[in-house]
């Protein structure tokens, strides 16, 4: 990793070969591209998966955005009281290659990859704990028959609340 100092922050150039291996979480991969320590705030990830793979309904205290680079991504949002978010005409939408989706903090949301699978680049806002949470999920063990109570506790440890409504 090479860096150049400009003012009080460094310019990052993270070589692909120095990146850690992807996290394997419930059948989809999440690769850290840059940590909040490296960027002084936000986290950036590459995610890919096959049809139907992705996180269930949840919310957290940080904003999350993603840009679709391959395939399609089905996503949905709700207010925490189960109402449909006012600016969405439907509860669930489909994002295609080139589409950008921003989800504000504390918004219940979910997403999963479409028919041909998909890939996204995701970014969490300052104050997120996604990388630590993904690392713990990766260490969880077998996803064949997961203990949802344990996974819910693990997510909560990092500030993500599973929404089962």
């Amino acid at each position: 990793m090479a860096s150049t100092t400009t003012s009080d922050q460094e310019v990052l150039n993270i070589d692909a070969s120095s990146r850690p291996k992807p996290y394997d979480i419930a059948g989809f991969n999440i690769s850290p591209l840059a940590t909040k320590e490296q960027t002084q705030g936000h986290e950036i990830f590459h995610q890919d998966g096959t049809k139907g793979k992705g996180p269930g309904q949840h919310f957290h205290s940080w904003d999350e955005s993603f840009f679709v680079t391959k395939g399609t991504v089905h996503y949905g949002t709700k207010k925490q009281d189960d109402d449909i978010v006012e600016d969405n005409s439907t509860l669930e939408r489909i994002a295609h290659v080139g589409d950008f989706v921003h989800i504000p903090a504390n918004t219940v949301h979910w997403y999963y990859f479409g028919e041909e699978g998909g890939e996204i680049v995701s970014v969490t806002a300052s104050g997120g704990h996604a990388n630590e949470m993904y690392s713990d999920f990766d260490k969880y063990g077998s996803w064949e028959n997961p203990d949802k109570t344990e996974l819910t506790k693990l997510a909560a440890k990092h500030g993500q609340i599973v929404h089962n409504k």
Side-chain angles (χ1 to χ4, degrees):
M1 172 175 64
S3 61
T4 306
T5 302
T6 59
S7 115
D8 64 343
Q9 189 171 3
E10 294 183 352
V11 173
L12 294 175
N13 179 14
I14 303 171
D15 187 89
S17 64
S18 67
R19 221 175 300 158
K21 73 175 188 67
Y23 299 128
D24 179 8
I25 301 173
F28 66 105
N29 299 305
I30 301 177
S31 301
L33 300 179
T35 66
K36 62 185 174 185
E37 292 77 21
Q38 292 169 316
T39 66
Q40 297 184 2
H42 56 278
E43 302 167 299
I44 306 169
F45 304 93
H46 175 267
Q47 299 184 32
D48 66 87
T50 58
K51 176 184 176 183
K53 300 297 182 180
Q57 292 186 31
H58 66 279
F59 66 93
H60 35 68
S61 62
W62 57 86
D63 289 6
E64 181 177 358
S65 302
F66 65 85
F67 179 78
V68 181
T69 59
K70 184 176 181 182
T72 57
V73 178
H74 297 247
Y75 72 96
T77 59
K78 292 182 182 183
K79 288 185 177 181
Q80 290 183 35
D81 63 4
D82 266 347
D83 292 335
I84 296 173
V85 174
E86 287 127 8
D87 62 346
N88 286 346
S89 59
T90 61
L91 187 60
E92 189 166 286
R93 295 176 138 183
I94 300 175
H96 299 87
V97 172
D99 290 351
F100 176 82
V101 176
H102 175 78
I103 301 162
N106 299 311
T107 300
V108 176
H109 63 283
W110 64 95
Y111 59 91
Y112 58 91
F113 298 105
E115 286 295 317
E116 303 298 320
E119 294 183 16
I120 62 175
V121 173
S122 64
V123 178
T124 65
S126 181
H129 302 284
N131 194 50
E132 294 123 352
M133 180 178 63
Y134 296 152
S135 177
D136 278 355
F137 280 155
D138 184 60
K139 295 172 191 166
Y140 171 74
S142 173
W143 288 91
E144 295 298 317
N145 190 15
D147 181 336
K148 292 186 181 188
T149 301
E150 286 302 311
L151 289 173
T152 298
K153 288 179 188 175
L154 186 59
K157 171 184 164 187
H158 297 286
Q160 176 168 294
I161 307 303
V162 175
H163 194 264
N164 292 316
K165 293 183 179 183

